[in-house]
Amino acid sequence: MTTGAAAHGPAGQGNGLRADLARIADWIAPGSHVLDLGCGDGALLAYLQSAKGCRGYGVEINDEQLLACMRKGVDVIQQDIEAGLGMFHAPSFDVVVLSMAIQMTHQTERVLREMSEVGREGIVSLPNFGHWTHAWSLLRGHMPVSRELPFEWFDTPNLHMSTVRDFEDFLRRLGLVITGRVFLRDGKPAGWLPALRSTQAIYRFRRG
Amino acid sequence: MRFEQPLALRSGASIAGYELVYETYGTLNAERSNAVLVCHALNAGHHVAGVYADDPDNLGWWDSMVGPGKPVDTERFFVVGVNNLGSCFGSTGPMSIDPATGKPYGPDFPVVTVEDWVHAQARLADALGIGRFAAVMGGSLGGMQALAWTTLYPQRVAHCVAVATAPKLSAQNIAFNEVARRAIITDPDFHGGRFYDHGVVPARGLQVARMIGHITYLSDDVMGEKFGRALRRHVTDTVLRNDYRFTFDVEFEIESYLRYQGEKFSSYFDANTYLLITRALDYFDPALSCGGDLARALAPAQADFLLVSFTTDWRFAPGRSREIVEALLANGQRVTYAEIDAPHGHDAFLLDDPQYMAVMRSWFERVHRSVRAPGGAR
């Protein structure tokens, strides 16, 4: 699982991190034990290790991304997150992160369930399919194509798209309690009407 | 290098004095912090990299990995290759003279374990003035030694690299070893391991042993691609044959290949050593003393681990490496795991798949950073 190349918004907060990762990093306490699923090039873990004294592992299936993690000194386990998190004993992590990858999972429910089992807290960032321009595209008869979702319908890695409201319903159905949410619009807080105006959403949650 | 102090072995036996042959590459730095130990597998030895001036065809067995500018860069690291006890490339083994009898040890050479080898290697490290290795590495049986190092001498290993290995053999692995051993032991030329006295070697047994081993080193796909069902051309053939000979002589290319590998092997490898080394493989099981709990067995380790497996390796399949990774994760130990999509089966660890090489290079960049900034940010 690679993190969405589409998700590279403006860098946040001067640490060079992608906007959603910068917000996620803000939520993670210093010294935490972190598991980053679909960790991409390992940027979040590298930052957490150097700036916050965190430790942990990335999980990444892609060969190039694995090497990028290794070059950053990030410990990474090469595995498809959909093959299950059986290698990780529960509950062994303070935080489990899944950034801009949930829409690419086949067994989305299983992935979220396992996240909540191996970590005390889960953090997920996702593209908001409910963005108003998407509705406009659909009204005009086309599948939406945007910066966060740049793929044509016939050539997309994204399988499970949701609006922020769908996702919140889903978390509740899994018995998970939302403890924080941030809506971003082009990397900045979305302000008013976030369900329609945000391009990305970030949730933190715990088992109920 | 000669060691006079007896070495107590896991079996309860001990070796009075012994010789370990080793080679080094690169330069030990002033802090003695850049040493890398390379542990060999079944049929290799201390000659890890490069060639000798007087023997330009004898390339080291891991030359793709170790050398100037290679992933284990000898311009940065001081690399030590050592031939293990009981082997047949110069270190004390069954072919050596037993001081007690004045004759070759033969079958009386004590059964050695992976742990015994590690203790012997540690004495070599002492003699070379290496307190702590920047890395201990190996593939297959060599990977087992690297793992054993991390728990027997936790403070002496900064990084452990274990490639295409397993935390213990499966019943199937042991079964293959046993077939190989029976082939050797039942060869009439084996003479109960005293074949040196008879001026013969159990070549047929060794050939069969090697043929079996070789089958397990290759993947079905690679064998199919390389040989398929191609028929062997004989020197007497004037045109390309497309029919069988209806004999039990070499008919298919794969048969010819295996026989060639077997014959080559039997010309240089000692039969008693083959028995010893396959037994060392069988016995390796670090979790045994911890009630089968591998995580507990690995808990003393202080090293950062790199585990590498190959998708088509069925001798030590990726799942075997994942067992080790899982144990290290359970302990919260530092581990990176790469699963290389390579077609070559177990043999892949000796080849130079680009992703494999890139993974090793990246890892040894990390080792190098820790050598330059000991205790600093990793």
Side-chain angles (χ1 to χ4, degrees), chain A residues 94-170:
Chain A
D94 299 312
V95 188
V96 182
V97 176
L98 182 65
S99 64
M100 294 304 280
I102 194 163
Q103 73 279 6
M104 293 185 254
T105 57
H106 290 258
Q107 302 177 63
T108 307
E109 181 172 343
R110 176 182 168 177
V111 170
L112 270 184
R113 215 180 271 288
E114 289 191 324
M115 276 183 77
S116 66
E117 281 163 10
V118 299
R120 275 173 282 281
E121 182 175 40
I123 300 178
V124 168
S125 67
L126 70 162
N128 176 22
F129 197 71
H131 190 260
W132 70 271
T133 59
H134 296 172
W136 181 239
S137 285
L138 289 169
L139 279 174
R140 289 187 305 160
H142 293 287
M143 282 294 281
V145 176
S146 61
R147 180 159 51 167
E148 267 71 20
L149 298 166
F151 305 102
E152 297 286 353
W153 64 271
F154 50 84
D155 186 29
T156 176
N158 299 326
L159 302 166
H160 289 149
M161 298 304 306
S162 70
T163 66
V164 294
R165 199 160 297 159
D166 288 336
F167 188 69
E168 294 193 10
D169 290 346
F170 184 52

Side-chain angles (χ1 to χ4, degrees), chain B residues 8-13 111-113 115-116 119 283-285 288:
Chain B
L9 303 174
R10 164 87 196 284
S11 65
V111 173
V112 285
T113 64
E115 289 78 9
D116 294 333
H119 291 306
Y283 284 156
F284 182 68
D285 184 5
L288 187 65

Side-chain angles (χ1 to χ4, degrees), chain A:
Chain A
M1 179 64 52
T2 60
T3 48
H8 289 273
Q13 315 205 335
N15 51 25
L17 286 176
R18 206 173 68 198
D20 62 314
L21 296 181
R23 301 286 164 172
I24 291 170
D26 284 346
W27 274 342
I28 296 176
S32 294
H33 195 206
V34 181
L35 182 64
D36 187 356
L37 301 175
C39 64
D41 65 4
L44 176 65
L45 280 170
Y47 170 76
L48 290 173
Q49 278 175 199
S50 64
K52 292 193 144 186
C54 295
R55 61 203 176 88
Y57 314 96
V59 178
E60 179 57 57
I61 187 70
N62 179 274
D63 282 349
E64 276 306 312
Q65 301 281 42
L66 177 99
L67 292 172
C69 291
M70 291 184 72
R71 291 184 188 117
K72 290 185 175 72
V74 166
D75 274 319
V76 56
I77 309 298
Q78 190 163 27
Q79 200 207 321
D80 183 351
I81 58 176
E82 302 218 51
L85 302 181
M87 251 205 293
F88 301 91
H89 292 258
S92 52
F93 294 93
D94 299 312
V95 188
V96 182
V97 176
L98 182 65
S99 64
M100 294 304 280
I102 194 163
Q103 73 279 6
M104 293 185 254
T105 57
H106 290 258
Q107 302 177 63
T108 307
E109 181 172 343
R110 176 182 168 177
V111 170
L112 270 184
R113 215 180 271 288
E114 289 191 324
M115 276 183 77
S116 66
E117 281 163 10
V118 299
R120 275 173 282 281
E121 182 175 40
I123 300 178
V124 168
S125 67
L126 70 162
N128 176 22
F129 197 71
H131 190 260
W132 70 271
T133 59
H134 296 172
W136 181 239
S137 285
L138 289 169
L139 279 174
R140 289 187 305 160
H142 293 287
M143 282 294 281
V145 176
S146 61
R147 180 159 51 167
E148 267 71 20
L149 298 166
F151 305 102
E152 297 286 353
W153 64 271
F154 50 84
D155 186 29
T156 176
N158 299 326
L159 302 166
H160 289 149
M161 298 304 306
S162 70
T163 66
V164 294
R165 199 160 297 159
D166 288 336
F167 188 69
E168 294 193 10
D169 290 346
F170 184 52
L171 289 177
R172 285 191 200 99
R173 198 162 67 75
L174 292 173
L176 301 170
V177 178
I178 297 167
T179 54
R181 54 169 78 72
V182 169
F183 300 105
L184 298 179
R185 176 186 165 83
D186 302 331
K188 297 188 182 69
W192 51 282
L193 284 180
L196 290 177
R197 294 181 64 252
S198 68
T199 50
Q200 277 177 302
I202 314 171
Y203 288 91
R204 63 200 299 199
F205 53 85
R206 296 172 177 277
R207 282 185 300 277

Side-chain angles (χ1 to χ4, degrees), chain B residues 315-362:
Chain B
R315 186 183 174 94
F316 294 144
R320 308 309 313 279
S321 288
R322 276 191 235 118
E323 290 173 40
I324 300 164
V325 173
E326 185 177 342
L328 294 166
L329 290 171
N331 291 333
Q333 285 160 300
R334 298 204 58 159
V335 53
T336 282
Y337 171 59
E339 200 166 294
I340 310 291
D341 186 11
H344 309 97
H346 191 59
D347 253 2
F349 94 84
L350 294 168
L351 303 176
D352 58 355
D353 174 271
Q355 175 70 9
Y356 172 40
M357 289 292 125
V359 162
M360 296 297 269
R361 193 175 286 280
S362 302

